[in-house]
Amino acid sequence: MSNDEQTQKQEVETTEGIERTRATRVYVPKVDIYSNAEGIVIIADMPGVKENDLDITLEKDILTINGYVSTSLQAPEGYELAQGEYGVGDFHRSFTIPDEIYRDSIEAGLNAGVLTVRLPKAPEAQARKITIQANK
């Protein structure tokens, strides 16, 4: 994959029979997913999305992230667009969450257009060290 392909935004493909209710493009946010014995962390780039315009839901085993961009870029007064490379639009992405995630403890934060979602594993699903005792 070339560097140019890595940085381009990818539009969400519309599923047949589903129509959007907002007249804007919808992009797939780029994400990094980290995991360890305690849980999973999802980091998503969502430039232009404000905290109040972010919707994260968990239904059954599907975590869905929707970010709405409420403003569009406009040319300064007296200028017209000569070249446009940055597409403005909303963001949408869904993930299947494993059963071992403790759903009541999922947390999310947004800082400077970067969303961080923390999905902790249930205590019974976390790895633990077993102490070995000498036979008496």
Side-chain angles (χ1 to χ4, degrees):
M1 182 181 298
S2 72
N3 193 28
D4 190 39
E5 290 173 338
Q6 290 177 352
T7 58
Q8 287 184 343
K9 288 199 266 185
Q10 176 186 356
E11 278 194 70
V12 172
E13 293 182 21
T14 304
T15 306
E16 190 174 324
I18 296 177
E19 296 186 39
R20 296 188 182 125
T21 57
R22 284 175 49 104
T24 186
R25 289 184 171 165
V26 179
Y27 295 102
V28 177
K30 301 281 187 185
V31 299
D32 290 331
I33 300 174
Y34 299 93
S35 68
N36 64 15
E38 287 81 37
I40 298 170
V41 175
I42 299 171
I43 299 175
D45 285 335
M46 302 184 77
V49 175
K50 297 176 184 159
E51 187 176 325
N52 293 339
D53 297 326
L54 187 60
D55 184 29
I56 303 171
T57 59
L58 179 63
E59 187 174 342
K60 298 183 181 177
D61 291 335
I62 306 296
L63 179 78
T64 302
I65 299 170
N66 287 299
Y68 305 102
V69 178
S70 57
T71 61
S72 62
L73 298 177
Q74 294 184 2
E77 187 175 327
Y79 290 86
E80 60 184 52
L81 183 65
Q83 177 176 337
E85 295 182 351
Y86 184 80
V88 175
D90 296 337
F91 295 93
H92 172 83
R93 188 108 184 228
S94 294
F95 303 91
T96 302
I97 302 301
D99 291 336
E100 64 212 25
I101 295 300
Y102 187 54
R103 279 127 169 86
D104 292 337
S105 295
I106 295 174
E107 297 177 344
L110 184 67
N111 185 14
V114 178
L115 172 66
T116 302
V117 181
R118 298 184 187 284
L119 303 123
K121 289 183 181 175
E124 58 272 10
Q126 293 183 15
R128 62 180 187 267
K129 185 171 175 130
I130 307 298
T131 305
I132 301 173
Q133 298 177 353
N135 290 334
K136 296 182 183 183

